[in-house]
Amino acid sequence: MVSVSKKQAECLYLVKFFLMDIKIESSWKSVLAEEFEKPYFARLISFVKAEYSAKEFTCYPPGPKIFSAFDHCPFDQTKVVIIGQDPYHGPGQANGLCFSVSDGIVFPPSLVNIFKEIQTDLSKPMPLSGNLERWASQGVLLLNATLTVRQGQAASHQNQGWETFTDAVIEQLSRQKEQLVFMLWGGFAKKKGLGIDRAKHLVLESGHPSPLSANRGHWFGNHHFSQTNTYLTSVGKQPIEW
């Protein structure tokens, strides 16, 4: 039988090996240090490594971009949190930021509806690129609940530990930060955000921007982008250039 100490050592080895391969911004490493050492995270790492190294299928986003949401939006600079579910599972789409696609990729329907709402809400033109790194660099954490997926297989990496990890991310943000804006779109995100401290953060909720929800009147007209900027300005923070 493997001793507890040996198991712990194995977990730590996997975590350190994984984090050497994957870029994650240093402030997040500090905030999430305890999470990285938990047994579930080591099991998750082992699963992800096996999936990405398998020859019979492809996984997204590319390995170096798994933690792009954190890398482009340091903990200390986070002002807004948008919660998604899974990365896009089509070729070339996922870039590690929820709802975002790489430059030159056709906008998925949900992203089209996000831009349409911004167009109506803030009188801004439809952008040329769906790459939302420009938001992340301003302090918008674009967080998927599950950070990886198999090509063409939605939800294929759910229930492997990512949800526990991203719950911890949200908990740390809620507990350690002040006056954040959380955008919760759709039932999944609303459930994910139940533990947010609403006494010190602004929580905006609406339907999901997917066509099924948006076309039923649950998305358009939510004014989340203008509300976010009004709130940020009111607490002395720089608004987001959406």
Side-chain angles (χ1 to χ4, degrees):
M1 188 173 183
V2 180
S3 67
V4 173
S5 60
K6 187 175 180 181
K7 282 184 178 179
Q8 290 175 336
E10 184 179 358
C11 288
L12 287 171
Y13 172 79
L14 284 168
V15 169
K16 289 176 181 177
F17 185 71
F18 184 74
L19 292 179
M20 282 192 295
D21 288 347
I22 301 299
K23 187 178 181 184
I24 183 169
E25 196 273 333
S26 59
S27 68
W28 283 106
K29 282 188 180 181
S30 176
V31 170
L32 299 169
E34 291 185 7
E35 214 63 28
F36 293 144
E37 296 183 3
K38 292 181 179 179
Y40 89 86
F41 195 77
R43 292 192 296 270
L44 169 62
I45 290 164
S46 182
F47 167 78
V48 171
K49 279 188 166 292
E51 289 282 293
Y52 272 73
S53 62
K55 295 180 180 180
E56 60 267 33
F57 45 76
T58 300
C59 294
Y60 299 125
K65 294 187 176 182
I66 291 174
F67 286 106
S68 282
F70 303 92
D71 188 45
H72 288 286
C73 183
F75 180 81
D76 293 339
Q77 297 177 27
T78 301
K79 297 186 290 189
V80 180
V81 182
I82 298 178
I83 298 175
Q85 191 163 353
D86 282 330
Y88 296 124
H89 52 81
Q93 290 182 311
N95 65 359
L97 311 177
C98 73
F99 296 105
S100 174
V101 292
S102 299
D103 293 327
I105 300 296
V106 175
F107 300 169
S110 292
L111 187 56
V112 170
N113 286 337
I114 289 170
F115 289 149
K116 284 182 177 179
E117 175 59 25
I118 292 172
Q119 195 172 31
T120 302
D121 189 20
L122 298 172
S123 300
K124 295 180 69 69
M126 187 72 69
L128 297 177
S129 172
N131 191 335
L132 303 183
E133 289 178 7
R134 59 185 181 272
W135 294 3
S137 65
Q138 298 176 73
V140 181
L141 181 67
L142 295 157
L143 181 67
N144 274 316
T146 302
L147 300 189
T148 57
V149 70
R150 286 184 186 178
Q151 179 178 315
Q153 299 182 42
S156 52
H157 284 188
Q158 288 184 4
N159 303 315
Q160 297 293 337
W162 279 129
E163 295 91 342
T164 302
F165 174 71
T166 50
D167 281 345
V169 171
I170 294 167
E171 180 184 356
Q172 292 294 337
L173 286 164
S174 177
R175 184 168 60 83
Q176 294 194 41
K177 301 280 285 184
E178 300 284 340
Q179 299 170 327
L180 297 179
V181 180
F182 289 86
M183 294 186 181
L184 309 181
W185 301 336
F188 179 88
K190 291 174 187 177
K191 186 176 180 180
K192 188 85 172 168
L194 286 176
I196 297 167
D197 186 346
R198 299 174 187 231
K200 63 174 184 173
H201 302 294
L202 174 64
V203 178
L204 301 175
E205 298 182 345
S206 78
H208 196 274
S210 67
L212 183 63
S213 174
N215 294 338
R216 290 178 176 176
H218 302 310
W219 165 256
F220 292 116
N222 64 27
H223 300 291
H224 280 190
F225 303 97
S226 60
Q227 288 185 67
T228 293
N229 281 354
T230 297
Y231 177 78
L232 291 175
T233 301
S234 74
V235 297
K237 297 182 180 181
Q238 189 71 20
I240 305 299
E241 183 60 45
W242 300 106

